[in-house]
Amino acid sequence: MNRFTALFHKSIPLRLFWINLLICLTFIAITLTIYLSFRHIKTDMTHIFTQEVNQVIENATVGRELGRVLADTNLLISTFYEKEAFLETEGERIISEVLELAAESSDVQLKKSLSEFTQNIRSVFDQCAKVNQRRQGIKTIQQKLNNTLAALEEAVSNKIIDDMMEGEDVSILERLPFAIAGYRSLLIQTNFKFIELGLSHFKLPAEGQDHPIQTFLNELHLGFRTLSGYEADIAVFGNRLTRGVQTYRDATVQFHQAGRELQNRLDQMNDEKERLLVLMEKMDQRVAAMAEKGVDFLAEQISDTMRKEVMISLFMALLIVILSSLTGRSITRSLTRVINGLQKAAVKVADASDQLLSASRQLSRDTSDQAISLEKTSLSLEKMDSATRQNAENADHADR
C-alpha cells in the first residue's frame, strides 16, 4: 500500500505516465475480452451449427432416400403378383438400401426404426413370395386338371370307338365329351375369375361359401362326382378330378389366407412407415429447436460478453477516475506548494529589492557627498597649485 501510495508523490510527468499506462491497459483489457469472448462464441457456434447442418443434411439425405425406397416398395408391392424373379431381385435391392440407410444414420432412434422397418419390409416381401407360390400352385392344379380332362377326353373317345366296334350302346358315353367341354369351360372361367378378382380381392376377409371361385369349384366338384357312376376306367378319372378340385379348394383357401396375411403385414409395414415418418418429423423439429437454441445461445453469449465488457469498462473507468482523482489531488498539492514557494520567493525578492534600492540610494548619496568632497579637495589643490606657481614666480622675480 505504501508503494502504491508512493506513486502519487513522484514527479508530475511520472504521474501522467501512470495514468496513460492505465488507460492503455484498460483498452487492451477490453479488446482482449472482446477477442476471447467472440473466439469462444465462434468455437461454440461452429460446433453447434456444424452439428445442426450435418443433422439437416443427414435428415434430408435419409428423407430423400427413404422416400425413394418407399416409392420403390409401393411399386414392387403393386406389381410383384406372378413375377417371382422381379420380386426377388427388387426385394433384395430395396432391403439392402434400407440397411445401408440404417448403417449410415447417426441417430439411435432412427437407426432402430429403420431396422424395424427393414424387418417389416422383409416380412412383406416374404409373404409376397408366398402369395406367388400359392398362385403358382393354383396354376399347377389347374394345369393338372386340364391334363386330366384331356386324358379323360382321350379315354372317352377310345372307349366310344371300342364300344361302337363291339356294337354296344354308346349314347351315354357320347354325352361325356360335351360334359368335358363344360368342365373345361368352368376351369377357364375359374381362371378368368382369378384374373378378374386380382390379388386385392384375396386380401379381404374370406366370404365362405359365397366366394365366386368356390362357386365354380362346387359346380366342378358336382360334375366330376357324376363320373364315378361310369365304368371303372372312366370313374378313375372322376375320382382323380374330384381330388384335384378338392385340392383346388384347399389351395384357394390357402391363397386367400396368404393374401389376407399379406394385407396384415402391409398394414404393419404402413404403421411402421408412419412411425418412421413421425420420427423424421420429430427429428426435423428437434433440428429446428436446436437451431433456435443456437440462436438463443448466441444472443446469450453476446449479452454476456457485453455485460462483461461493461463491467470491465466501468471497473477500469472507476479505477482511472480514482487514480486520476488521487493523482490530480497530488498534482494540485504539488502545484499549491510550488505556488506558495514562488509567492514566498517573490516576497523575499521584493524585500531584497527594497533593501537593494535603499542601499543604492544610500550609495548614491555617499557617492554625491564624496564627489562634492573631491570637488572641494580639487579646488583646494588648484588653489594650492596657483599659490605655488605664484610663489615660484615671485621667487623667480626675486632672483632676478
Side-chain angles (χ1 to χ4, degrees):
M1 186 66 183
N2 294 330
R3 293 181 180 180
F4 183 75
T5 308
L7 293 175
F8 301 98
H9 297 288
K10 303 293 183 181
S11 61
I12 292 176
L14 184 59
R15 296 167 187 168
L16 295 177
F17 168 77
W18 282 110
I19 292 176
N20 292 328
L21 180 61
L22 287 174
I23 294 174
C24 292
L25 291 176
T26 302
F27 178 76
I28 292 173
I30 295 174
T31 304
L32 186 61
T33 302
I34 295 174
Y35 172 75
L36 293 178
S37 299
F38 279 97
R39 184 177 180 182
H40 176 68
I41 293 173
K42 177 184 177 182
T43 302
D44 291 341
M45 295 309 298
T46 301
H47 174 71
I48 293 173
F49 282 109
T50 299
Q51 183 178 2
E52 292 175 359
V53 169
N54 291 336
Q55 189 66 48
V56 170
I57 294 174
E58 180 180 341
N59 289 351
T61 303
V62 171
R64 183 179 64 253
E65 294 298 325
L66 184 60
R68 186 171 61 82
V69 167
L70 292 177
D72 292 344
T73 302
N74 292 331
L75 177 62
L76 179 59
I77 291 173
S78 61
T79 58
F80 80 94
Y81 190 47
E82 298 186 19
K83 299 177 181 178
E84 293 83 0
F86 176 71
L87 173 63
E88 183 178 359
T89 56
E90 286 297 306
E92 290 299 326
R93 181 185 65 83
I94 292 173
I95 290 174
S96 63
E97 289 181 355
V98 178
L99 289 175
E100 185 178 354
L101 280 178
E104 293 177 354
S105 178
S106 60
D107 189 270
V108 178
Q109 292 183 349
L110 181 59
K111 187 185 292 292
K112 180 180 178 182
S113 183
L114 285 173
S115 299
E116 294 176 354
F117 184 63
T118 304
Q119 294 176 1
N120 288 330
I121 291 179
R122 191 186 299 276
S123 175
V124 168
F125 291 164
D126 291 342
Q127 191 61 31
C128 289
K130 186 176 292 185
V131 168
N132 281 338
Q133 291 175 0
R134 299 298 186 191
R135 180 67 179 118
Q136 188 62 37
I138 290 174
K139 286 184 176 181
T140 302
I141 294 172
Q142 288 176 340
Q143 186 62 39
K144 287 181 178 180
L145 289 174
N146 283 323
N147 293 336
T148 303
L149 286 175
L152 174 62
E153 187 175 17
E154 183 179 359
V156 168
S157 298
N158 293 332
K159 180 68 173 173
I160 291 174
I161 294 172
D162 292 340
D163 288 348
M164 287 178 65
M165 293 179 64
E166 293 176 359
E168 295 181 4
D169 184 16
V170 295
S171 59
I172 298 176
L173 289 176
E174 287 178 347
R175 300 175 188 172
L176 283 178
F178 298 101
I180 293 172
Y183 300 152
R184 282 181 174 172
S185 177
L186 283 174
L187 278 175
I188 293 172
Q189 291 179 29
T190 304
N191 189 34
F192 284 161
K193 197 63 177 179
F194 251 109
I195 297 173
E196 179 185 352
L197 293 175
L199 179 61
S200 59
H201 176 80
F202 292 92
K203 294 179 182 179
L204 302 174
E207 299 176 1
Q209 297 298 324
D210 295 332
H211 195 283
I213 301 298
Q214 294 294 343
T215 301
F216 288 116
L217 293 178
N218 289 335
E219 291 182 14
L220 282 172
H221 187 265
L222 291 175
F224 291 155
R225 285 185 62 182
T226 60
L227 296 176
S228 60
Y230 288 85
E231 296 180 4
D233 52 352
I234 303 297
V236 69
F237 286 100
N239 295 330
R240 191 185 305 172
L241 290 170
T242 302
R243 290 194 300 270
V245 170
Q246 185 59 44
T247 304
Y248 203 151
R249 284 177 176 175
D250 296 338
T252 303
V253 172
Q254 293 174 358
F255 182 76
H256 210 138
Q257 292 174 348
R260 186 57 186 165
E261 178 62 23
L262 175 60
Q263 184 60 47
N264 293 334
R265 296 188 182 185
L266 284 174
D267 293 339
Q268 293 177 1
M269 186 190 72
N270 290 330
D271 292 340
E272 186 62 33
K273 180 178 70 176
E274 291 298 325
R275 286 194 292 269
L276 184 59
L277 294 176
V278 170
L279 178 60
M280 293 290 296
E281 183 179 359
K282 288 182 179 179
M283 290 179 63
D284 292 337
Q285 293 176 355
R286 186 169 60 198
V287 170
M290 289 175 62
E292 185 177 356
K293 182 179 179 181
V295 173
D296 294 339
F297 176 78
L298 177 60
E300 182 180 356
Q301 289 292 321
I302 293 175
S303 300
D304 185 59
T305 301
M306 293 178 64
R307 286 194 298 269
K308 290 179 180 177
E309 292 172 4
V310 170
M311 292 177 63
I312 292 174
S313 300
L314 290 176
F315 174 75
M316 298 303 293
L318 181 61
L319 181 61
I320 291 174
V321 169
I322 293 174
L323 295 178
S324 300
S325 177
L326 294 175
T327 304
R329 291 177 60 186
S330 178
I331 293 174
T332 302
R333 286 196 297 268
S334 298
L335 291 176
T336 301
R337 287 196 296 270
V338 170
I339 292 172
N340 291 333
L342 290 175
Q343 288 177 348
K344 291 179 181 179
V347 172
K348 290 181 179 180
V349 169
D351 293 340
S353 297
D354 292 339
Q355 292 177 2
L356 182 61
L357 181 60
S358 299
S360 297
R361 289 176 180 174
Q362 184 63 37
L363 180 61
S364 178
R365 286 195 297 267
D366 293 342
T367 302
S368 298
D369 292 341
Q370 288 179 1
I372 294 172
S373 297
L374 288 174
E375 186 178 359
K376 289 180 179 182
T377 303
S378 177
L379 291 175
S380 298
L381 289 175
E382 287 178 357
K383 288 179 179 181
M384 289 178 63
D385 183 54
S386 297
T388 302
R389 283 196 301 269
Q390 186 66 38
N391 288 332
E393 290 178 357
N394 290 333
D396 186 47
H397 288 299
D399 289 335
R400 295 177 180 174

